[in-house]
Amino acid sequence: MGFSTSDKKSGPTISGARALVDGLLREGIDHVFGIPGTQNLAILDELRVTPQIRFILTRHEQGAAFMAYGFARAANKPSVVTVTEGPGITNIVTATAAAFKGNVPVISITGVQESVMRERDATQDMDQIPFMKPITKWAYSIPYPEKIQEAVRKAFRVALTEPQGPTHIEAASEVLLQQVTPETTLPAAYRSTVPAVCDPAQIDAAWALISKAERPLFVVGRGVMKENAVTAMERLATAAGIPVTVLQYSPDAFPATHPLALGPLGRNAFGSANKNAPKADVIVALGAHFDVFSTMYKYGIFSETAKIIHNTSAPGQIGIVFPVELGVAGSATSFIEGLAERAAKGKARTPWVDVAKARADFEAEITAVLKPEMEPIQPQFVAHTIRKALPRDGILVVDAGNGGKHVRTYFKSYLPNSFMCIDDWASVGGSFPIALGAKLAQPNRPVLCASGDMGAMCNIGELETAVRENIAVVYVVFNDQGLGNERAFQNEHFGGRYFAVDYKNPDFGALAKVFGAHGEHVTRPQDLEGAIQRAFASGKPAIIDVMIDQNNLAPVVHRT
């Protein structure tokens, strides 16, 4: 017989909401994002008396969930968003889906309509679990108080199991306000906290393939950063004498300053990588999840005859896109260190490609199109200036759309965890709240957000959150008064017949000042770098509204 709300309690008791918040504390949660509502007020009441957790009240539930996404990415740990039932749930789904596609451990803890109201067509009543299941790793409605602490534990366990991703738990106030016996189980007792290591025999097999290769290539993914193994990866590349590329979504997984760095692969990435990767006869993917923008899910960026060695901590991801010669499941760190041990026993090879020349040729190519004196301002110049003005330890958050495509081409990484985009979801407008979450996670690092004007309007209300909470993110808006990405597609596929892609914008710089932030409106290219520097120096949230040439569009990349 299971627990019920009538079971007797033994010993001292606490409310279900208190038990839930204590579970968050044991997991190291120090920020919660969200908006109060009828059915999650019991949680908020406990957060009110929990100084270890900073609650960030946002202006929209989507903003809260995207902030949690950015915080989790930048802090490299799980994060929490809480909202009420019904519309609170429907408003977080875009960001939750982004976390699902991007393997980000965001735990949503929400209200649900009280049992007496369900199935009676009550206000804000809906069947929330089927709604959340397709975009989470686990979704559960807590039926009675005794299940609260177990549900919290499972939410974190599932979210942090590779591949990581969002989970969802919900409870009505009638459950959260009842008394339960507190449980003090620590995370190490209910989930693995040490990643599995790679089988040495598989590392031997991988090194044998690499040793026989004429043109081996390392392809580095975000898993290397998540394990803080970038420095180890640098040592491996140097010891082995093998050039390195990175996947589109993780250009910061290997520093652009390394003499063997070819740069990121794929759409709007580095020609130095894209021209040389197809020549490789052995591809060694480390901590990698092959994404569509890096590979277009077809041969071309990799040769069909190349042998692929795929390392990932999520075994189920091996072989999804490309058949592999060898799949190596386990932590990127153990794989890198294992290869380095074997490389140290031999002599480093001479790289098969002149990396310095390949990079110099690409730099010359993208510098030639900058046109730094041209008005209207060219988007390539904005992208170049962003990289120039952003300090080397800064974090860049890029939105979907035309502006984001230009920024990717000009972004050189110097340090790990310095770049974010909305991996495999491309949700326009998510970048600003993501950047706010990243800044809260890394308060000592400069954070710059880059998006188009449509993205700027999507979550502009969170500028008030940024001002109120003193979250000093610099927001550069590529303002072409329309949907540049769709203009490009309408040019390419619909004979230049523009429709529903043009509109007018407010002066975003002036709007920022109305909110109490720093704001500037830039129309001349020579004014841009100074404007970004002043924005950082202000110590405030800031918007730099940059009027760009609406006819200068990033190229459309075809799947076939």
Side-chain angles (χ1 to χ4, degrees), residues 401-466:
N402 184 56
K405 288 180 179 179
H406 288 294
V407 171
R408 286 185 178 91
T409 304
Y410 287 85
F411 179 76
K412 303 178 192 71
S413 73
Y414 301 114
L415 292 173
N417 301 303
S418 57
F419 179 91
M420 286 189 210
C421 61
I422 309 169
D423 298 4
D424 271 336
W425 197 237
S427 174
V428 168
S431 61
F432 181 49
I434 287 172
L436 296 179
K439 181 65 175 178
L440 287 166
Q442 299 289 343
N444 296 322
R445 295 180 67 179
V447 177
L448 187 148
C449 171
S451 89
D453 44 17
M454 174 63 83
M457 287 297 287
C458 285
N459 280 296
I460 194 67
E462 301 309 341
L463 186 55
E464 188 280 328
T465 306

Side-chain angles (χ1 to χ4, degrees), residues 97 104 111 114 117 161 194 272 285 325 431 457 552:
V104 182
E114 291 179 306
M117 297 292 183
T161 300
V194 179
S272 47
E325 186 73 14
S431 61
M457 287 297 287
N552 189 325

Side-chain angles (χ1 to χ4, degrees), residues 364-385 410 523-526 528 547 549 552:
E365 180 184 327
I366 61 173
T367 300
V369 299
L370 285 179
K371 299 183 174 66
E373 305 299 325
M374 187 172 178
E375 296 181 28
I377 302 172
Q378 301 301 293
Q380 294 93 336
F381 178 76
V382 181
H384 166 77
T385 304
Y410 287 85
T523 59
R524 301 189 308 167
Q526 61 266 34
L528 178 57
M547 304 304 296
D549 181 358
N552 189 325

Side-chain angles (χ1 to χ4, degrees), residues 98 189 309 317 439:
I309 302 168
Q317 293 182 347
K439 181 65 175 178

Side-chain angles (χ1 to χ4, degrees), residues 109-426:
I109 303 175
T110 75
V112 63
Q113 189 57 273
E114 291 179 306
S115 57
V116 71
M117 297 292 183
R118 292 176 210 162
E119 292 86 41
R120 293 184 175 186
D121 196 24
T123 299
Q124 298 187 335
D125 182 32
M126 60 178 285
D127 198 352
Q128 295 175 174
I129 295 303
F131 188 70
M132 297 297 288
K133 274 189 173 180
I135 55 170
T136 60
K137 293 183 67 183
W138 182 64
Y140 179 66
S141 190
I142 301 171
Y144 42 81
E146 288 80 3
K147 276 286 188 179
I148 290 173
Q149 293 165 101
E150 179 184 344
V152 171
R153 292 194 293 269
K154 184 169 181 178
F156 280 90
R157 182 170 63 249
V158 174
L160 291 168
T161 300
E162 296 290 349
Q164 296 184 3
T167 55
H168 169 80
I169 55 176
E170 62 184 33
S173 59
E174 64 186 298
V175 172
L176 294 167
L177 291 171
Q178 291 187 54
Q179 295 292 296
V180 297
T181 301
E183 300 169 11
T184 58
T185 312
L186 295 175
Y190 58 82
R191 60 179 175 81
S192 174
T193 57
V194 179
V197 299
C198 297
D199 182 350
Q202 286 194 303
I203 302 175
D204 283 337
W207 186 248
L209 287 167
I210 294 167
S211 299
K212 293 174 185 175
E214 295 181 5
R215 298 174 303 281
L217 179 69
F218 287 135
V219 177
V220 180
R222 202 170 87 206
V224 173
M225 276 191 300
K226 285 172 65 177
E227 296 182 27
N228 298 312
V230 174
T231 300
M233 185 66 226
E234 291 182 68
R235 290 195 294 264
L236 170 60
T238 301
I242 296 174
V244 181
T245 64
V246 288
L247 293 171
Q248 174 84 196
Y249 296 146
S250 49
D252 47 344
F254 195 80
T257 51
H258 194 281
L260 290 169
L262 286 166
L265 289 167
R267 189 178 83 166
N268 309 118
F270 283 19
S272 47
N274 289 340
K275 291 176 182 177
N276 287 288
K279 302 173 187 175
D281 58 354
V282 170
I283 303 290
V284 188
L286 307 98
H289 168 70
F290 290 123
D291 61 273
V292 67
F293 287 169
S294 295
T295 68
M296 298 308 292
Y297 288 171
K298 65 177 182 176
Y299 291 109
I301 200 70
F302 300 150
S303 167
E304 192 167 1
T305 60
K307 295 177 179 178
I308 296 176
I309 302 168
H310 188 183
N311 159 251
T312 173
S313 57
Q317 293 182 347
I318 293 173
I320 290 177
V321 179
F322 300 106
V324 301
E325 186 73 14
L326 178 65
V328 185
S331 75
T333 302
S334 65
F335 187 57
I336 291 167
E337 291 177 347
L339 292 179
E341 287 174 9
R342 289 151 179 81
K345 296 175 182 177
K347 183 180 178 182
R349 66 172 76 209
T350 300
W352 56 270
V353 58
D354 187 338
V355 175
K357 183 179 185 305
R359 286 291 303 273
D361 289 348
F362 172 67
E363 291 291 334
E365 180 184 327
I366 61 173
T367 300
V369 299
L370 285 179
K371 299 183 174 66
E373 305 299 325
M374 187 172 178
E375 296 181 28
I377 302 172
Q378 301 301 293
Q380 294 93 336
F381 178 76
V382 181
H384 166 77
T385 304
I386 284 172
R387 175 63 278 183
K388 186 179 177 183
L390 179 66
R392 286 199 168 202
D393 66 337
I395 298 172
L396 178 62
V397 182
V398 179
D399 212 70
N402 184 56
K405 288 180 179 179
H406 288 294
V407 171
R408 286 185 178 91
T409 304
Y410 287 85
F411 179 76
K412 303 178 192 71
S413 73
Y414 301 114
L415 292 173
N417 301 303
S418 57
F419 179 91
M420 286 189 210
C421 61
I422 309 169
D423 298 4
D424 271 336
W425 197 237

